[in-house]
Amino acid sequence: MFNSLTSLFKQLIEGEDLSKTSKASPNIAIASLLCEVAGADHEIDEKEQAAKLMLIQRLLGLTEEEAAQLLEKAQPQVDQSVSLYDFTSQLRELSQPVRIDLIKAMWEVAHADGEIDPMEDAVIRKTAELLYVDHSDFIKTKLSVLGEE
């Protein structure tokens, strides 16, 4: 993220028109959020990678190859992103059930390695807030993934 801020300041100093930066498509935004939560604890294991791939396929109805390509495009977006708003702003037009499914998918990625790191929890919590997902749905999806519902 520090590199992203440095890049942003460099663009400002050099007078680049930041309004021309292209916004991510909703599919890339969804994939980016899954990548963001997987990398929140600075440890991405194979189980989280597999979970991201499977969940992208399920959420977006893509083939394994298409999902892998989308995740490949999303990771640089995550590396260059300054905030979660970069992605969530693309998803506000989604229906509430779809947003709730996305939050549940984020919990599934976070829990794929058997534990939910506090940083992963914070990313999901902030995403839910930015997407206007009710706190009760945020908790229900977490409990569902943990098998406590």
Side-chain angles (χ1 to χ4, degrees):
M1 183 164 2
F2 180 73
N3 290 336
S4 301
L5 291 173
T6 305
S7 174
L8 179 63
F9 287 129
K10 184 177 178 185
Q11 289 175 322
L12 288 171
I13 290 170
E14 294 174 357
E16 290 183 35
D17 184 2
L18 299 178
S19 66
K20 291 183 181 177
T21 57
S22 62
K23 293 191 171 191
S25 75
N27 286 359
I28 289 181
I30 289 169
S32 296
L33 286 170
L34 295 182
C35 290
E36 188 75 50
V37 75
D41 62 356
H42 305 289
E43 295 177 19
I44 303 173
D45 70 8
E46 291 177 20
K47 293 175 186 172
E48 288 176 326
Q49 288 288 78
K52 287 190 307 186
L53 187 63
M54 184 266 304
L55 290 163
I56 288 292
Q57 290 174 264
R58 185 183 83 201
L59 287 170
L60 303 176
L62 301 176
T63 66
E64 185 175 346
E65 184 178 324
E66 292 168 333
Q69 289 173 353
L70 185 61
L71 287 169
E72 211 172 286
K73 289 178 185 177
Q75 191 57 54
Q77 299 278 338
V78 171
D79 295 340
Q80 296 174 4
S81 147
V82 180
S83 75
L84 293 171
Y85 183 81
D86 294 344
F87 309 120
T88 59
S89 63
Q90 304 298 310
L91 304 175
R92 290 209 175 127
E93 301 299 318
L94 296 176
S95 68
Q96 191 70 1
V98 173
R99 289 188 241 167
I100 292 168
D101 285 346
L102 173 58
I103 297 302
K104 183 176 180 185
M106 292 177 76
W107 282 122
E108 290 178 47
V109 169
H111 192 254
D113 61 0
E115 66 178 278
I116 296 176
D117 185 90
M119 293 300 294
E120 293 169 330
D121 187 292
V123 167
I124 300 167
R125 182 178 304 276
K126 188 64 178 174
T127 301
E129 290 172 6
L130 290 169
L131 290 176
Y132 306 116
V133 171
D134 291 335
H135 187 71
S136 62
D137 291 323
F138 167 82
I139 296 298
K140 284 178 192 173
T141 57
K142 180 179 184 178
L143 295 176
S144 171
V145 168
L146 293 175
E148 297 176 12
E149 190 176 54

